[in-house]
Amino acid sequence: MIKKCLFPAAGYGTRFLPATKAMPKEVLPIVNKPLIQYGVEEAMNAGMKNIGIITGRGKRAIEDHFDISYELEHQISGTSKEGYLQSIRKIIEECTFSYTRQVQMKGLGHAILSGETLIGNEPFGVVFADDLCVGNGDGSVLAQMVRVYQKYRCSIVAIEEVPTDETHKYGVIAGSELEDGIFVISDMVEKPAPEDAPSNLAIIGRYILTPDIFEILRNTQPGKNDEVQITDALLTQATNNMVLAYKFKRRRFDCGSVDGFVAATNHFYDEYKNG
Ligand code: G1P
């Protein structure tokens, strides 16, 4: 039903310097798999096989990762090492990849607007690879959100409860509960101080957006940090129409922070060890 998924991946990854000096943060490995591959697998499992990636300068490794390496294929063909390429081969076989560059860093809303040419006039998913959600297949966060979309046909953001002293890291919503875990959004604030936060329900990096968001983004003025914020555009959409927040049932690691990255590494290392 939703075929396309957009991955904003133009950011500099400054929190991981010097590791991200010559390497995109999206290809930093969690055990033996680049961060962005987990996100693409989640999109694929939710039925979104047309992957659009918003890149920037110095991000060539992302394109190379989702492409066939003939030398490598040739070298390991018929050896016991072939199994290591299985997961990426499946992705390359099943998905298509399109890229566009965000030439100026004007915020997440601007990055998503840059993806308009890759999306066109249809609903689409958005994944921030930094937010690594555990659990794929039917139960992945994006797959859960597709089911909500099938019922309500409007934009949806994923939310989770965060400690009040962490609201300044997230977009935060206010809303009324429509059914268990699904809220109709009445307010959204980008990275509020605890005293200004309308709740402790924070947006995490999974969205389903209807394509009218592009026109709204075009008319959205820079907000927090003088950047065009997707949160502000979604508030306009919520005011004009309806936007839902979905409290997902999965574990999330904030791999944009060193602590979250290490926690995710430990989690996947346990899985790796136990086969
Ligand atoms: C972005 C969004 C924010 C959202 C967060 C989720 O912020 O602007 O609303 O809560 O992603 O990870 P960023 O983490 O890019 O600063």
Side-chain angles (χ1 to χ4, degrees), residues 157-177:
V157 303
I159 51 166
E160 75 175 7
E161 284 184 39
V162 296
T164 354
D165 61 355
E166 288 189 15
T167 55
H168 66 284
K169 296 184 188 166
Y170 302 94
V172 178
I173 70 124
S176 52
E177 202 160 6

Side-chain angles (χ1 to χ4, degrees), residues 185-188 216 233-243:
I185 292 178
S186 55
D187 197 11
M188 296 175 97
I216 299 174
L234 280 165
L235 179 58
T236 305
Q237 203 180 36
T239 313
N240 296 344
N241 199 331
M242 177 167 87
V243 175

Side-chain angles (χ1 to χ4, degrees), residues 79-134:
T79 74
S80 59
K81 293 181 180 150
E82 268 197 297
Y84 294 129
L85 285 182
Q86 207 179 339
S87 67
I88 186 66
R89 273 184 183 160
K90 182 171 157 60
I91 292 175
I92 295 170
E93 265 165 35
E94 291 188 22
C95 296
T96 63
F97 289 85
S98 311
Y99 299 87
T100 192
R101 280 193 181 196
Q102 185 187 12
V103 290
Q104 283 176 297
M105 296 299 140
K106 293 190 193 166
L108 198 52
H110 177 257
I112 291 174
L113 182 55
S114 310
E116 185 178 13
T117 47
L118 305 180
I119 299 295
N121 192 26
E122 53 188 284
F124 60 103
V126 177
V127 169
F128 302 165
D130 274 358
D131 281 321
L132 203 173
C133 297
V134 178

